[in-house]
Amino acid sequence: QVQLGESGGGLVQAGGSLTLSCTVSGSIFRINRMGWYRQAPGKQRELVAVIRSGSGGSTDYADSVKGRFSISSDNVKNTVSLQMNSLKPEDTAIYYCTVLARKNTNSVPRPYWGQGTQVTVSS
């Protein structure tokens, strides 16, 4: 019964900003990392940003968004957000929240996906 609820997508002009939020609920023993992927029509999903639960919440970003996007998380509330600034038309995609989590102490971490939220950047 793991659920990932996403919000914050919408239409914005180039140069604008949006903040995506994701809340994880359900039976998860341990979340190892949280992140965001995106997929444009006819293209593969690509990793946008990831934040790790350990290592002091270290982060990684796709080169295409580095310096413009910022990922953050609240490990108590099990939420993850993506602040997107200086948006470009090429950022247009469906953005998916994802978590890598263990169901129990002996299970292998596996990914869980949100339904996706549309981000459209007009020129």
Side-chain angles (χ1 to χ4, degrees):
Q1 299 182 22
V2 176
Q3 295 182 349
L4 280 68
E6 301 154 314
S7 63
L11 174 65
V12 66
Q13 290 187 328
S17 299
L18 286 173
T19 300
L20 306 182
S21 297
C22 176
T23 299
V24 182
S25 62
S27 182
I28 294 181
F29 173 74
R30 178 181 176 182
I31 296 175
N32 297 96
R33 66 181 185 180
M34 295 179 282
W36 293 88
Y37 283 72
R38 67 185 181 186
Q39 186 172 28
K43 299 185 181 296
Q44 294 181 322
R45 287 191 186 185
E46 63 173 345
L47 176 67
V48 178
V50 61
I51 184 167
R52 300 176 178 85
S53 298
S55 303
S58 62
T59 59
D60 289 304
Y61 298 91
D63 289 339
S64 59
V65 307
K66 197 170 298 182
R68 299 188 296 119
F69 292 8
S70 179
I71 189 170
S72 62
S73 65
D74 186 327
N75 294 323
V76 176
K77 298 180 179 179
N78 285 341
T79 60
V80 59
S81 297
L82 184 69
Q83 176 67 48
M84 305 185 295
N85 299 319
S86 301
L87 284 163
K88 305 174 181 179
E90 50 262 46
D91 294 319
T92 296
I94 300 176
Y95 284 71
Y96 297 89
C97 177
T98 185
V99 300
L100 187 67
R102 297 177 183 269
K103 290 291 291 184
N104 56 64
T105 57
N106 295 319
S107 65
V108 176
R110 58 155 292 181
Y112 297 88
W113 295 90
Q115 295 296 308
T117 183
Q118 178 70 47
V119 172
T120 302
V121 184
S122 64
S123 60

